């Protein structure tokens, strides 16, 4: 199936007499007549459902759809994008370990890596994309478990050069984790460029309607854990799960099996089945929305670029954007719906612009069908120090615009009027 067909039909194939649309199994638990049947599932959970903290039929269908869209071997839905990022890292990194991450990432993820994970003994070495390969490689030690990047950094708009980080990861036998939230598999497929694990905030484009918070981890099935001294947990018995050896039990999907059995089971990151059911409906139109949102964003980026009250615009679809060539290499069918720009006159004019908007509303969100706007320095990134703000690519006059799928003439008028009236 092609991407568009997977969006619509992937993950659920009804048998004769079944509901045509994915049913919502709003149930915490599952009935089995004999103790033997249930006992078997405790040995081999993938053969059925026991309890919805661990798995649920509706959620599984949605997971299957996203795994298909990304070209992975399995996926695990979580209650939020943050819990997906957290579990994706903790599935390989424990006390005494470290990861390497680009510093230009979503503020919440930066905070998780910089402040919260160190409390669990997992440290992050932050890098910037202008560092040389040698500089990055010099940070890798025997306890380094992953390199983490976002396809396009929110909101610094730095496009990830997958080939480069994939090569470093391969050379050192380290996992490459990519947050593909803002591109989605409709525009970029990181597994085709060497990523091993993909995470999503499904809250964004996969849902697309600002209705449900959720996350997803997708296993590329393309990393050999067996025998790699960094990942002994994958090929030695797990005492918490009657001595299962994940590479034997899960095969190429060992990573996602371990994530489910250790983190979903023990930390309860599970989403509500209602949310995965709802987000699955959103994903049915993902391909159409990504196309329109990309067209609208490019048109607005061009408009902003030529406006007298705008200092600069960052959007990889613009031919003179610093990351255009890299984006052309990895993006197919558009460059996404988010752009950032600097308003002339600093922070106060950026705030005036936001106040002047009518149609486009200020919300702490992106990737909605409705266009929305935010001032990152005073909101999503306000916990960052000035130095960290600069590392994350944020300036006081920066406005983040998430372009929806409305008519472009209406959006253009709202933006032009708001700028003209500063
Ligand atoms: N990753 C990216 C790129 C994000 O933009 C966000 C949230 O904005 C997250 C992860 C966190 O996701 P959530 O808000 O669903 O927890």
């Amino acid at each position: 199936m092609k991407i568009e067909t997977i969006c619509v039909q992937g993950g659920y194939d009804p048998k004769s007499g079944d509901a045509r649309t994915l049913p919502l199994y709003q149930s915490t638990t599952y009935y089995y007549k004999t103790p033997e049947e249930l006992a078997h599932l405790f040995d081999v959970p993938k053969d059925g459902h026991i309890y919805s903290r661990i798995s649920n039929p509706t959620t599984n269908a949605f997971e299957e759809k996203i795994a298909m869209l990304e070209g992975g071997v399995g996926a695990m839905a979580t209650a939020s994008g943050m819990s997906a990022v957290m579990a994706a890292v903790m599935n390989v990194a424990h006390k005494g370990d470290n990861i390497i991450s680009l510093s230009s990432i979503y503020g919440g993820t930066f905070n998780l890596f910089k402040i919260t994970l160190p409390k669990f003994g997992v440290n992050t070495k932050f890098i910037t994309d202008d560092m040389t390969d040698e500089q990055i490689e010099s940070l890798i030690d025997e306890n380094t478990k992953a390199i983490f990047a976002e396809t396009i950094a929110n909101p610094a708009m730095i496009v990830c050069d997958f080939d480069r980080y994939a090569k470093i990861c391969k050379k050192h036998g380290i996992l490459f984790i990519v947050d593909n939230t803002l591109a989605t598999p409709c525009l970029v497929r990181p597994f085709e460029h060497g990523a091993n694990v993909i995470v999503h905030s499904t809250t964004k484009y996969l849902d697309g309607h600002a209705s449900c918070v959720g996350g997803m981890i997708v296993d590329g099935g393309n990393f050999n854990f067996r025998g790699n001294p960094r990942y002994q947990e994958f090929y030695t018995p797990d005492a918490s799960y009657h001595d299962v050896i994940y590479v034997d039990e899960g095969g190429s999907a060992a990573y996602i099996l371990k994530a489910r059995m250790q983190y979903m089971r023990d930390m309860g990151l599970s989403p509500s089945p209602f949310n995965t059911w709802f987000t699955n409906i959103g994903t049915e139109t993902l391909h159409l929305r990504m196309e329109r949102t990309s067209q609208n964003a490019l048109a607005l980026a061009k408009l902003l670029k030529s406006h007298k009250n705008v200092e600069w615009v960052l959007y990889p679809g613009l031919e003179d954007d610093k990351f255009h060539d890299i984006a052309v290499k990895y993006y197919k069918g558009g460059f996404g719906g988010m752009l950032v720009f600097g308003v002339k006159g600093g922070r106060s004019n950026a705030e005036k612009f936001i106040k002047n908007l009518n149609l486009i509303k200020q919300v702490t969100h992106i990737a909605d069908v409705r266009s929305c706007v935010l001032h990152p320095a005073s909101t999503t990134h306000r916990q960052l120090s000035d130095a960290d703000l600069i590392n994350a690519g944020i300036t006081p006059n920066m406005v983040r615009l998430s372009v929806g799928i409305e008519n472009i003439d209406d959006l253009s008028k709202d933006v032009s009027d708001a700028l003209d009236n500063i």
Side-chain angles (χ1 to χ4, degrees):
M1 282 193 265
K2 299 266 197 295
I3 288 278
E4 296 81 353
T5 313
I6 299 171
C7 283
V8 179
Q9 299 223 15
Y12 179 63
D13 188 14
K15 305 283 166 293
S16 190
D18 284 353
R20 178 62 191 99
T21 61
L22 175 64
L24 167 57
Y25 288 88
Q26 188 67 44
S27 179
T28 59
T29 194
Y30 305 86
Y31 161 71
Y32 295 95
K33 181 138 178 88
T34 68
E36 291 78 14
E37 283 175 284
L38 200 49
H40 170 73
L41 292 181
F42 274 83
D43 283 342
V44 192
K46 64 183 180 207
D47 284 356
H49 303 282
I50 301 173
Y51 184 59
S52 284
R53 170 155 41 76
I54 297 165
S55 69
N56 168 280
T58 305
T59 301
N60 278 180
F62 178 51
E63 289 166 341
E64 174 66 20
K65 174 177 284 185
I66 305 305
M68 288 169 82
L69 282 173
E70 290 287 16
V73 294
M76 184 177 92
T78 58
S80 68
M82 286 315 302
S83 53
V85 174
M86 188 269 288
V89 169
M90 291 187 81
N91 201 28
V92 288
H94 309 138
K95 193 172 173 192
D97 292 338
N98 63 78
I99 63 164
I100 291 175
S101 172
L102 272 292
S103 60
S104 307
I105 48 175
Y106 166 62
T109 305
F110 184 85
N111 209 48
L112 171 73
F113 290 172
K114 182 155 189 212
I115 313 281
T116 304
L117 284 187
K119 294 180 192 166
F120 295 88
V122 176
N123 288 313
T124 299
K125 301 173 183 179
F126 287 102
I127 56 170
T128 51
D129 79 319
D130 54 7
M131 285 167 74
T132 63
D133 289 0
E134 292 69 36
Q135 285 171 318
I136 295 169
E137 287 182 66
S138 72
L139 298 174
I140 297 173
D141 61 35
E142 61 184 18
N143 297 321
T144 303
K145 299 298 171 77
I147 293 188
F148 181 94
E150 292 179 358
T151 303
I152 181 155
N154 168 14
M157 303 304 285
I158 297 172
V159 181
C160 178
D161 192 349
F162 295 105
D163 287 348
R164 183 178 174 212
Y165 301 108
K167 201 169 145 207
I168 296 174
C169 284
K170 227 172 179 164
K171 182 171 163 193
H172 294 270
I174 296 170
L175 203 70
F176 184 22
I177 306 177
V178 170
D179 182 331
N180 199 31
T181 298
L182 291 183
T184 84
C186 289
L187 301 184
V188 180
R189 298 180 86 226
F191 290 147
E192 290 172 6
H193 309 291
N196 305 117
V197 171
I198 292 173
V199 292
H200 279 279
S201 165
T202 64
T203 320
K204 308 293 160 5
Y205 288 114
L206 300 186
D207 171 9
H209 297 77
S211 299
C212 298
V213 173
M216 186 72 74
I217 306 177
V218 191
D219 183 350
N222 56 356
F223 190 87
N224 186 12
F225 293 100
R226 199 186 291 274
N228 184 330
R230 292 182 200 274
Y231 308 100
Q232 292 182 21
E233 262 206 318
F234 282 80
Y235 56 88
T236 51
D238 177 2
S240 84
Y241 181 27
H242 42 244
D243 286 346
V244 154
I245 294 176
Y246 289 106
V247 289
D248 292 341
E249 185 72 25
S252 64
Y255 176 90
I256 209 72
L257 177 66
K258 179 173 174 294
R260 189 178 296 281
M261 295 324 296
Q262 293 183 339
Y263 293 92
M264 191 60 94
R265 184 197 59 186
D266 292 358
M267 294 189 170
L269 312 172
S270 37
S272 150
F274 178 79
N275 279 8
T276 53
W277 176 79
F278 208 81
T279 308
N280 181 66
I281 295 175
T283 308
E284 289 172 359
T285 55
L286 179 68
H287 53 300
L288 297 175
R289 290 186 283 105
M290 291 317 290
E291 195 179 310
R292 172 62 75 87
T293 212
S294 299
Q295 289 164 2
N296 280 354
L298 182 59
L300 281 189
K302 287 180 179 165
L303 181 155
L304 287 164
K305 190 102 195 171
S306 61
H307 198 284
K308 62 178 190 326
N309 286 343
V310 173
E311 202 169 282
W312 48 265
V313 182
L314 300 182
Y315 182 67
L318 291 172
E319 279 173 21
D320 60 353
D321 188 85
K322 190 177 164 198
F323 294 97
H324 183 67
D325 290 346
I326 298 177
V328 166
K329 189 168 158 194
Y330 298 112
Y331 277 69
K332 300 275 171 293
F335 299 96
M338 197 177 82
L339 58 87
V340 297
F341 62 98
V343 180
K344 271 191 194 150
R347 179 188 279 258
S348 67
N349 278 0
E351 287 170 355
K352 273 188 205 151
F353 167 76
I354 289 175
K355 284 182 202 159
N356 288 348
L357 289 166
N358 285 314
L359 196 59
I360 302 173
K361 305 282 191 244
Q362 178 187 231
V363 294
T364 311
H365 194 50
I366 45 175
D368 186 7
V369 287
R370 287 152 285 253
S371 297
C372 52
V373 70
L374 197 77
H375 183 234
S378 54
T379 56
T380 47
H381 289 68
R382 69 181 290 119
Q383 76 277 21
L384 268 57
S385 67
D386 284 355
D388 286 341
L389 272 179
I390 289 163
N391 277 339
I394 318 274
T395 60
N397 68 340
M398 176 194 276
V399 170
R400 182 181 77 183
L401 190 55
S402 167
V403 184
I405 59 171
E406 302 93 335
N407 184 286
I408 188 60
D409 296 341
D410 293 330
L411 294 179
S412 301
K413 183 170 183 337
D414 203 29
V415 167
S416 307
D417 288 352
L419 283 169
D420 291 345
N421 294 330
I422 282 175

